[in-house]
Amino acid sequence: MSGGGWREVGPGVFQRRYDPLDVSVGAVLGPHGATIIDTRNDPAEAREIMHDVARRFGQPVVAVVNTHAHYDHTFGNQVFARAGIPIYGHYLIPRHFEQFEGPRLDLVRERPDLEPEMSWSQVELTPPTALVDSAQVVRPGGRELELLPLGPGHTDTDLAIRIPDAGVWFLGDVIEESGPPMFGSGSYPLGWPLVLESLAERIQDTEVLVPGHGAPVDRAFLVDQAGRFSALAAVLSQAHAAGATLQEIEFGQALRGYWPEEFLKEAAADAYRQLSGS
Ligand SMILES: [Zn+2]
């Protein structure tokens, strides 16, 4: 269930789940201002975040971090950029915008019926102003955040954010709780399990993980999801090696029980493209 206002997931660290899409927005409070994680689907929704933060916390927004490039996490960026607020994000977001979000935006502007819930007429694609290409520590508003660019998984622009003094991670759509993780729009089904396994090595059992969509989870949840991705990657690699066509892939009961048919097909198409180097 989304809605319900800001929920404190660690000392001075909040999550709010916004509709449409039950997308997570984070607020990390420091002595001199709040850092916002992800900016929602359009400028009006981003202004709502600004308003909600001011009303609930009485603090200015001093920085923004994008967990990855997808529209539901970045299309509000321009509101913060125009206010002169730095936006941190994975260094490949500009390339992803060119390949995926830009064309998607153009298409929906021509055919608004394709995304009837989205009002994208005012969106100006705004990449992060501070591109992150290696692990780094930042202190916006005086609160320490670790930014960790991840390998190709949900996208090739995924960035994990850890607030060490609170034991909280924001992981974007590398994990999802409110539904099965989604493929497509530049996903890497074969790299995804490796990303989760490397995160599992860094995450403590007591830490809280905030997914891009859904309620906070723990390390055990992430390890479970890693196992499913790894089983899927094995099926896809073996099928490709055996020369099976996309239609011939046998996913088996367990994977079919976890992901809907169309998700598995999307994953297979992405994986086959990558395995054949196209
Ligand atoms: Zn998302």
Side-chain angles (χ1 to χ4, degrees), residues 2-269:
S2 58
W6 295 99
R7 171 182 172 176
E8 190 163 22
V9 293
V13 181
F14 294 78
Q15 174 199 23
R16 185 159 178 165
R17 297 168 62 181
Y18 282 101
D19 283 322
L21 301 175
D22 184 15
V23 63
S24 293
V25 171
V28 182
L29 307 186
H32 312 296
T35 297
I36 296 307
I37 296 168
D38 285 343
T39 63
R40 304 180 65 200
N41 299 294
D42 64 45
E45 292 184 7
R47 281 192 290 273
E48 191 181 17
I49 300 173
M50 286 271 226
H51 173 83
D52 291 346
V53 167
R55 199 175 53 176
R56 172 71 172 78
F57 306 112
Q59 283 201 346
V61 175
V62 291
V64 167
V65 187
N66 291 142
T67 58
H68 62 294
H70 283 161
Y71 65 88
D72 47 330
H73 306 263
T74 60
F75 274 17
N77 278 3
Q78 72 202 61
V79 169
F80 299 95
R82 279 190 190 160
I85 296 165
I87 303 173
Y88 295 91
H90 194 288
Y91 77 106
L92 291 177
I93 287 182
R95 187 178 79 178
H96 189 286
F97 274 6
E98 266 174 44
Q99 291 175 334
F100 295 98
E101 306 313 306
R104 187 200 299 259
L105 185 57
D106 292 341
L107 181 66
V108 170
R109 277 190 176 137
E110 276 169 41
R111 299 266 322 273
D113 54 300
L114 294 176
E115 296 275 2
E117 278 198 302
M118 303 303 157
S119 46
W120 284 352
S121 58
Q122 304 301 314
V123 173
E124 288 166 21
L125 268 189
T126 306
T129 56
L131 297 176
V132 181
D133 64 1
S134 58
Q136 60 175 261
V137 173
V138 293
R139 289 179 187 79
R143 183 95 186 251
E144 184 171 309
L145 278 76
E146 294 173 8
L147 308 180
L148 181 66
L150 304 174
H154 176 62
T155 66
D156 58 4
T157 65
D158 301 319
L159 181 77
I161 299 129
R162 177 170 181 249
I163 301 93
D165 68 12
V168 174
W169 293 74
F170 285 85
L171 294 177
D173 295 359
V174 167
I175 51 166
E176 290 195 40
E177 186 275 336
S178 52
M182 291 183 71
F183 302 95
S185 293
S187 75
Y188 292 81
L190 305 174
W192 205 327
L194 309 177
V195 168
L196 292 176
E197 283 156 19
S198 78
L199 280 168
E201 284 172 17
R202 292 169 174 261
I203 293 170
Q204 315 286 315
D205 282 328
T206 53
E207 290 184 311
V208 174
L209 317 182
V210 180
H213 304 269
V217 297
D218 61 5
R219 183 178 176 280
F221 180 96
L222 179 140
V223 169
D224 174 79
Q225 216 157 72
R228 296 173 193 275
F229 274 104
S230 147
L232 175 60
V235 165
L236 295 174
S237 308
Q238 282 157 21
H240 186 268
T245 66
L246 285 172
Q247 290 69 33
E248 288 167 347
I249 302 172
E250 297 280 354
F251 289 103
Q253 204 84 53
L255 292 176
R256 284 177 183 285
Y258 193 69
W259 276 290
E261 181 80 28
E262 66 270 24
F263 284 36
L264 292 172
K265 290 204 160 127
E266 190 99 57

